[in-house]
Amino acid sequence: MRPLLMLLLSSTTIAAQAAPVEALKPMAFLAGHCWKGDFPEGKQSDEHCFQWKYDGNVLSDVHTVRTPGKPDYVGETIYYYDSAAKQVAFLYVENGGGYSRGTMTPTATGLEFPATQYVADGHALTYRVRWTPSGADAYEAFSEMNIKDKWVTQFKLVLKKQ
């Protein structure tokens, strides 16, 4: 009985420590859930699973794109408060060796990820993203890429809480 009591007490302590730092609170609706959406053609799905880490100082997002008959594309984004720059920053790495570094700014309508670069195989792609909550159980992800000095829609996707 005593080990069970200790386990319950430590679980309560862990949950209490998982409250996010102030700067990450705009992202709190995502934490503890997976969110999944199907691309318009129906040939791929996109899933993001968010978890607080390190006493709420970090929000981890494990991202998986599934395409039937192909290996999964998997990446992880680590969101954290950059105290020197006084803003939320992120680092994204993926299983093909690509990566991004950028920032997140909360807006009146959701979360904005200003223009940054995705780098893979020696090439860089400039992109920007907006996440707009749609009720309590979904958000829209809108991504644009810059091609020849023009912003072009990369994708628009509704992800639903799983």
Side-chain angles (χ1 to χ4, degrees):
M1 182 71 167
R2 185 174 190 124
L4 179 59
L5 179 60
M6 294 305 290
L7 178 64
L8 289 173
L9 287 174
S10 66
S11 296
T12 303
T13 303
I14 290 168
Q17 292 174 348
V21 295
E22 190 64 33
L24 293 175
K25 284 184 179 178
M27 302 182 86
F29 74 96
L30 299 163
H33 307 286
C34 290
W35 304 76
K36 186 176 179 184
D38 292 322
F39 285 94
E41 309 83 41
K43 296 178 183 174
Q44 290 182 314
S45 67
D46 189 5
E47 182 177 54
H48 291 256
C49 295
F50 296 87
Q51 289 294 328
W52 292 119
K53 292 186 175 183
Y54 308 115
D55 296 329
N57 286 294
V58 168
L59 182 62
S60 167
D61 168 12
V62 176
H63 171 233
T64 307
V65 175
R66 293 180 177 89
T67 305
K70 293 186 177 181
D72 290 348
Y73 170 92
V74 181
E76 182 173 7
T77 306
I78 299 296
Y79 297 96
Y80 60 95
Y81 179 64
D82 179 338
S83 59
K86 296 187 179 359
Q87 64 185 16
V88 174
F90 70 84
L91 170 63
Y92 173 73
V93 293
E94 50 95 339
N95 62 345
Y99 67 92
S100 291
R101 290 185 186 103
T103 61
M104 184 283 298
T105 304
T107 67
T109 58
L111 307 173
E112 183 175 307
F113 304 85
T116 191
Q117 291 189 326
Y118 167 77
V119 179
D121 298 324
H123 301 285
L125 169 72
T126 301
Y127 71 101
R128 64 185 180 191
V129 177
R130 284 191 314 268
W131 289 352
T132 307
S134 179
D137 297 330
Y139 71 92
E140 179 185 85
F142 178 66
S143 180
E144 297 175 295
M145 56 188 167
N146 192 294
I147 299 182
K148 296 181 182 177
D149 295 323
K150 183 179 177 188
W151 288 104
V152 177
T153 299
Q154 188 175 21
F155 65 85
K156 193 175 192 179
L157 184 65
V158 175
L159 292 104
K160 296 179 181 176
K161 189 187 294 185
Q162 301 298 295

